[in-house]
Amino acid sequence: METCVLHLPKTCPIRAVTAQGDVKLLKKKACLEACKQLHHVGALTDNLVPDIVVEEAVAQGLGLEPYNDEQHCYFPSDLVNQDPCNSKKKYHCYLIKLKQNFTHDISVHDVMLVMGSELEADVGGINFPLEANRGVLTVTLMYVGVIQLTPEQIVMCRRFQVTLFRVLMDHNLNKLMKMSDFQLGNDLEVDYFLLPSICKGNRSMIDWSTIRSVWFSYANTWKDHLNCPHKGNVHVIRTQSGPVCSCMIENSLVHTPHNGHLYCINGFLKDVNANSIFTLKDGDKITYEQYYKDRCGIELCFNHQSFLNGRHILTVPNYLDRNRKQKEKESRNASVELPPELCHIIMSPISISTFYSFSFVPSIMHRLESLLIAVNLKKMHRDHSSQNISIPTIKILEAITTNSCREKFNLESLETLGDSFLKYVTCQQLFKTYPNHHEGLLSVKKDTIISNVALCKLGCDRKLPGFIRNESFEPKKWMIPGDKSESVTLEEDILSNNIKIFSTGRRSIKSKTVADVVEALIGAYLSTNGEIAALLFMDWIGIKADFINVPCDRPLILNPERMVNVHCLESLLNYSFNDRSLLVEALTHGSYMLPEIPTCYQRLEFLGDSVLDYLITLHLFCKNPGMSPGLLTDMRSASVNNDCYARSAVKFGLHKHILHASPELHKHIIETVSNFEQLSSGLTYGWESETSFPKVLGDVIESLAGAILIDSCYNKEIVFKSIRPLLEPMITPETVRLHPVRELNELCQKEHFEQREPVVNRNNGVASITIEVEANGKIFKHTATASDKKMAKKLACKEVLKSLKESMTQ
């Protein structure tokens, strides 16, 4: 950075006017020493802030323990049996209604959730979709009532669900537990039941007949054979373990010992038996009898028995995955023809619909577990707050869900909103608290409050990491309730207000993720309950702020009309100032030195930057409800940046009103104005500009916003009403474009292109960057030059992106 002139306004820290006319922090040691001697403020840092300020900031961080990214993974106490010795207890029943919005030869039926505690209203009535192979399955939870289970029923229910889920997860019998493993114990354990449901009249009830299928025994086959549909004409079928009635195998789970497979039986194939002929893959025709003899070495004995229609055990995918492809082709071998004499019955009667319905249950319960975790977090804040703030549990869940979970919602939009509000609240608080501090000092204090390190520390103090969801759901890792074959130790933890929760272990969470969740939770309270609720949450997390308007004494500027065209500016802004000296301050560049103007625009810019960021972010968030996660971030970054504000300043002629004394700055502004007509459509957002704008042009938009905010007694609506016309047309989801750098990065990740390290060169204050990508054996390369590194990189990426897209289209 070439430094030409030192300017030291009374309220400004040591700064300099660069060759381009921008006021920037000095970096050269010689200038630092000169400034030190001039100001007598002691040694200055490379950021041109007195050491005492930095020491003060560092002191605030002294004694902080280093962040440990190995954090708890919380599990809700609602699903844990905390009184194992109680052999008889009441359970709350919830019907999990499954609506199949697609056609399939297997239908679903409802499932009954039986648990020890009652759910909060907005959890007990949740409704959400799952992505099935052929379409969408809608899940609805509905409260049914209270029941009491005997110890025998508890053992039977536990054995049923563990057997069913182990079969679904493992597709073999190896992990099925012994009978004794299902007995009641004295240990803390995941304790709730997922049971098949049937509808009788208008009532949904537990299907005890299907649950008893887990007790099937050949020893009691005929003794327990009741209510046979064949009545007096019993149809005997020969199986691996002996003769049974056909009604006992046509809806059952069987094991074929000759190959170790498990199958769901879905009826008989009346026209197929051992003598039937089928075609092999090579085209040869052969009887089933000969096939089993040649391929398996098995002699079939009951050649005239109809074969069974068997289905392979269904897989259990993550139905919550937003990237899951629908309409996947089912395996050609989904159905098989099975000789009954090779089948050993494991469970009967149980339908394939039960297995299909229960394949959705792990994903459903993962969502419910996550909601219950969110409820516990909500309780912590609710019990602390003196005001009754009601926030939907699903909104808390959104705020603690990261993008890596791959669900249809995540924290990105709420984080963007919360970040902008936090920045604004902090800036206005500092602005009022320290009326004599310059922007540089205010920025240091702001960063100590809202930096990722600071927010992570506050989040950890409130045990937030344990609530965060940062991994995609893996069904095979889901804890089957009552399953003792998997060693999972529940560790009890006590949250604030004696709220009990359990931890299932530890996982790695980055400190930035914790900070993001803090901002997202601020955004959640802000979006559902307004600014006061967001402030109360910030207070709970440890950030003290308010919106109390504190009057401050300002330096008097006589006859502001002599220095700026007040009438023209008020007309342009559609706002009449009570204190017109704010207009003068908002338009005074650091190079303009007159005794009657005691300060420059930078304090107002500090305040205006934060309020505009918040107002625009809030506008985009409210204007586009239901936007996809991350879209708000893209729209905000394309709207809230110096280039966008600079375009608006030139478009409305604000550059003519800036008070400065820099020939280089004047030259740069003239060049910018002359090139303005070449900008696409005169838009005030996006990334189309190919030249760097003088920073002062964007600064004055922000400083004017800050001036209006102070003059209107911090009325943000007036600020937006005044500044918004300068920013029109506002960006929309249809017009948003990704920044070329980000778009190129995402394209390379998606297509697995090799993006090489950028090559950066500097010469006489000009930046040159080369971007190179190898794609499909070709090299795509471009070098761009600009006055600053960011612009050069943007231009180079833009050209490489253009070439890549053309190549992919061809």
Side-chain angles (χ1 to χ4, degrees):
M1 179 175 72
E2 295 299 321
T3 304
C4 57
V5 183
L6 283 176
H7 294 285
L8 306 172
K10 293 178 182 177
T11 58
C12 296
I14 319 297
R15 302 178 82 83
V17 182
T18 66
Q20 287 76 32
D22 293 340
V23 175
K24 293 189 177 180
L25 296 172
L26 288 170
K27 292 184 179 180
K28 291 188 177 180
K29 291 183 179 179
C31 292
L32 289 173
E33 184 60 30
C35 295
K36 174 184 172 181
Q37 293 174 7
L38 283 168
H39 270 240
H40 304 289
V41 293
L44 296 172
T45 68
D46 284 346
N47 287 328
L48 237 118
V49 179
D51 270 349
I52 188 171
V53 176
V54 176
E55 288 170 4
E56 192 178 300
V58 172
Q60 293 177 8
L62 290 178
L64 299 184
E65 295 181 3
Y67 173 72
N68 180 7
D69 62 1
E70 292 298 314
Q71 297 287 344
H72 284 290
C73 182
Y74 285 153
F75 186 84
S77 57
D78 310 69
L79 303 178
V80 175
N81 181 12
Q82 300 175 55
D83 187 15
C85 298
N86 185 4
S87 60
K88 276 192 173 184
K89 58 184 294 187
K90 291 183 178 179
Y91 288 90
H92 295 271
C93 294
Y94 288 87
L95 185 68
I96 303 176
K97 294 184 66 67
L98 305 179
K99 182 181 179 182
Q100 201 167 335
N101 302 308
F102 53 88
T103 56
H104 197 332
D105 59 337
I106 308 176
S107 61
V108 296
H109 63 66
D110 298 339
V111 175
M112 193 73 76
L113 168 63
V114 181
M115 55 187 296
S117 59
E118 190 172 356
L119 300 173
E120 286 209 355
D122 65 342
V123 176
I126 56 170
N127 179 295
F128 59 93
L130 294 178
E131 297 292 334
N133 287 354
R134 296 167 177 252
V136 175
L137 183 89
T138 305
V139 179
T140 305
L141 216 62
M142 187 174 70
Y143 188 65
V144 175
V146 177
I147 63 168
Q148 189 164 323
L149 299 178
T150 65
E152 293 75 19
Q153 288 175 320
I154 291 174
V155 170
M156 182 168 61
C157 290
R158 182 174 295 176
R159 184 180 179 190
F160 169 81
Q161 69 181 9
V162 172
T163 302
L164 183 62
F165 284 121
R166 284 265 68 99
V167 167
L168 282 170
M169 298 296 184
D170 306 325
H171 290 196
N172 63 55
L173 299 180
N174 293 339
K175 288 192 177 182
L176 289 184
M177 303 186 312
K178 298 177 182 178
M179 189 81 67
S180 60
D181 292 331
F182 298 98
Q183 302 303 316
L184 301 177
N186 295 320
D187 300 327
L188 284 173
E189 58 185 347
V190 178
D191 179 51
Y192 58 92
F193 302 111
L194 295 156
L195 308 172
S197 173
I198 56 172
C199 187
K200 290 187 176 181
N202 294 325
R203 293 183 60 196
S204 294
M205 304 177 66
I206 295 173
D207 182 2
W208 289 106
S209 173
T210 297
I211 295 171
R212 281 191 289 270
S213 69
V214 77
W215 293 120
F216 178 85
S217 167
Y218 281 98
N220 299 318
T221 295
W222 298 103
K223 178 182 176 182
D224 298 336
H225 184 52
L226 304 173
N227 302 321
C228 175
H230 300 295
K231 297 182 179 178
N233 186 22
V234 175
H235 186 193
V236 177
I237 301 295
R238 303 289 177 173
T239 70
Q240 173 81 19
S241 301
V244 298
C245 177
S246 60
C247 73
M248 304 179 79
I249 195 172
E250 61 185 352
N251 281 295
S252 64
L253 172 72
V254 303
H255 176 237
T256 50
H258 71 280
N259 59 11
H261 291 171
L262 289 167
Y263 298 95
C264 297
I265 302 303
N266 193 28
F268 286 89
L269 300 169
K270 295 182 179 179
D271 298 326
V272 180
N273 57 35
N275 299 319
S276 300
I277 296 174
F278 75 101
T279 304
L280 299 173
K281 290 182 179 178
D282 60 8
D284 289 348
K285 296 183 182 297
I286 190 174
T287 65
Y288 284 97
E289 179 185 25
Q290 192 65 40
Y291 172 83
Y292 278 99
K293 183 178 182 179
D294 295 345
R295 299 295 175 89
C296 306
I298 296 175
E299 294 273 0
L300 296 180
C301 300
F302 303 98
N303 289 13
H304 296 288
Q305 277 194 145
S306 295
F307 276 20
L308 299 169
N309 179 26
R311 297 286 292 253
H312 284 289
I313 300 299
L314 298 153
T315 58
V316 183
N318 175 12
Y319 288 111
L320 296 166
D321 191 339
R322 66 169 180 266
N323 298 324
R324 194 166 183 275
K325 294 180 180 178
Q326 289 185 5
K327 301 181 181 178
E328 297 171 354
K329 292 183 179 179
E330 292 186 5
S331 169
R332 294 180 179 178
N333 298 322
S335 294
V336 295
E337 301 85 20
L338 294 174
E341 61 188 279
L342 299 184
C343 297
H344 175 73
I345 301 176
I346 305 299
M347 298 175 71
S348 174
I350 185 169
S351 69
I352 191 171
S353 291
T354 297
F355 283 92
Y356 185 47
S357 302
F358 273 71
S359 72
F360 293 98
V361 167
S363 295
I364 295 170
M365 289 309 301
H366 178 71
R367 172 60 57 81
L368 182 59
E369 289 169 14
S370 302
L371 283 164
L372 291 174
I373 286 295
V375 166
N376 280 273
L377 176 54
K378 187 168 71 169
K379 283 180 180 177
M380 284 173 63
H381 173 245
R382 184 174 62 196
D383 292 349
H384 172 271
S385 177
S386 59
Q387 298 189 28
N388 186 18
I389 297 174
S390 176
I391 180 171
T393 302
I394 190 67
K395 191 59 69 173
I396 297 291
L397 179 59
E398 182 181 340
I400 60 176
T401 302
T402 64
N403 189 40
S404 57
C405 292
R406 301 208 309 264
E407 297 191 19
K408 284 193 172 182
F409 56 82
N410 62 55
L411 57 76
E412 286 188 12
S413 294
L414 291 176
E415 181 223 334
T416 302
L417 180 63
D419 170 69
S420 66
F421 180 74
L422 176 61
K423 178 182 173 183
Y424 165 65
V425 169
T426 304
C427 287
Q428 64 90 24
Q429 188 77 16
L430 291 171
F431 187 91
K432 293 183 296 189
T433 305
Y434 302 100
N436 297 319
H437 275 25
H438 183 270
E439 177 265 337
L441 306 184
L442 294 177
S443 293
V444 170
K445 288 186 176 292
K446 178 195 73 173
D447 291 341
T448 62
I449 297 171
I450 67 173
S451 67
N452 284 338
V453 173
L455 294 180
C456 177
K457 170 64 169 59
L458 294 173
C460 289
D461 289 345
R462 287 298 186 182
K463 298 188 176 184
L464 286 188
F467 295 94
I468 296 173
R469 304 169 68 239
N470 69 330
E471 295 176 348
S472 177
F473 174 53
E474 174 50 62
K476 287 190 178 295
K477 294 181 180 179
W478 177 63
M479 290 190 297
I480 299 172
D483 185 4
K484 297 178 182 178
S485 66
E486 299 289 340
S487 57
V488 177
T489 303
L490 294 174
E491 180 182 338
E492 187 176 304
D493 195 4
I494 302 296
L495 305 174
S496 61
N497 293 63
N498 292 320
I499 297 173
K500 186 183 293 184
I501 203 163
F502 294 88
S503 172
T504 59
R506 291 181 178 267
R507 56 355 191 336
S508 177
I509 297 181
K510 295 179 180 178
S511 59
K512 184 182 183 304
T513 302
V514 182
D516 290 346
V517 167
V518 171
E519 292 174 335
L521 286 167
I522 294 172
Y525 280 93
L526 176 66
S527 62
T528 56
N529 287 275
E531 293 180 346
I532 300 302
L535 285 175
L536 289 171
F537 175 80
M538 287 169 57
D539 180 75
W540 176 75
I541 207 75
I543 303 173
K544 308 297 181 182
D546 59 56
F547 283 146
I548 299 172
N549 186 18
V550 179
C552 60
D553 295 329
R554 291 179 36 76
L556 183 63
I557 298 178
L558 299 174
N559 300 321
E561 292 82 359
R562 287 194 305 108
M563 299 167 193
V564 295
N565 190 334
V566 173
H567 177 74
C568 177
L569 289 165
E570 288 186 335
S571 177
L572 178 63
L573 298 170
N574 193 27
Y575 178 76
S576 297
F577 279 86
N578 298 303
D579 179 2
R580 293 180 171 182
S581 64
L582 281 164
L583 262 179
V584 178
E585 181 180 338
L587 293 166
T588 300
H589 184 255
S591 64
Y592 197 71
M593 296 292 294
L594 286 179
E596 56 266 38
I597 304 179
T599 186
C600 62
Y601 64 60
Q602 287 173 331
R603 266 181 61 87
L604 292 177
E605 176 212 340
F606 171 81
L607 182 62
D609 168 46
S610 66
V611 72
L612 276 185
D613 187 324
Y614 171 49
L615 288 170
I616 293 173
T617 304
L618 185 63
H619 166 76
L620 296 174
F621 185 90
C622 297
K623 186 77 173 177
N624 305 283
M627 71 177 84
S628 61
L631 180 58
L632 177 64
T633 306
D634 296 331
M635 294 172 68
R636 174 202 192 187
S637 62
S639 303
V640 182
N641 59 69
N642 186 71
D643 278 10
C644 297
Y645 293 158
R647 289 190 195 188
S648 298
V650 175
K651 185 176 179 179
F652 289 92
L654 285 173
H655 60 284
K656 301 173 185 176
H657 301 275
I658 298 173
L659 303 175
H660 70 89
S662 169
E664 290 296 329
L665 176 59
H666 180 73
K667 179 182 177 182
H668 198 183
I669 290 175
I670 293 299
E671 290 174 353
T672 299
V673 173
S674 64
N675 294 330
F676 181 75
E677 294 179 359
Q678 299 176 15
L679 299 178
S680 60
S681 307
L683 295 177
T684 56
Y685 60 83
W687 314 105
E688 301 304 316
S689 63
E690 298 187 357
T691 58
S692 298
F693 290 88
K695 185 174 181 297
V696 64
L697 293 177
D699 289 348
V700 294
I701 294 288
E702 294 172 337
S703 61
L704 285 169
I708 296 171
L709 184 68
I710 295 171
D711 193 71
S712 63
C713 297
Y714 291 87
N715 188 321
K716 296 184 296 297
E717 288 70 25
I718 290 178
V719 176
F720 195 53
K721 182 180 178 182
S722 177
I723 299 296
R724 178 177 174 174
L726 305 183
L727 307 177
E728 292 287 2
M730 300 287 283
I731 200 168
T732 66
E734 293 72 32
T735 59
V736 66
R737 298 290 181 270
L738 290 181
H739 192 286
V741 175
R742 178 178 169 186
E743 187 176 0
L744 179 62
N745 289 340
E746 291 189 358
L747 180 64
C748 289
Q749 289 176 6
K750 180 182 177 182
E751 302 295 336
H752 304 290
F753 297 155
E754 182 185 351
Q755 190 172 8
R756 293 170 185 170
E757 196 68 26
V759 178
V760 183
N761 292 304
R762 291 185 179 276
N763 188 17
N764 295 326
V766 176
S768 175
I769 291 187
T770 300
I771 299 295
E772 186 175 340
V773 174
E774 182 177 346
N776 302 323
K778 296 181 180 179
I779 300 295
F780 297 85
K781 182 178 178 181
H782 188 81
T783 301
T785 302
S787 58
D788 65 83
K789 179 181 172 182
K790 286 185 179 180
M791 179 59 71
K793 188 174 184 180
K794 182 179 82 170
L795 296 177
C797 288
K798 188 176 180 181
E799 290 303 317
V800 171
L801 197 59
K802 180 180 177 182
S803 301
L804 270 173
K805 287 181 176 178
E806 290 175 354
S807 174
M808 291 171 69
T809 303
Q810 293 171 359

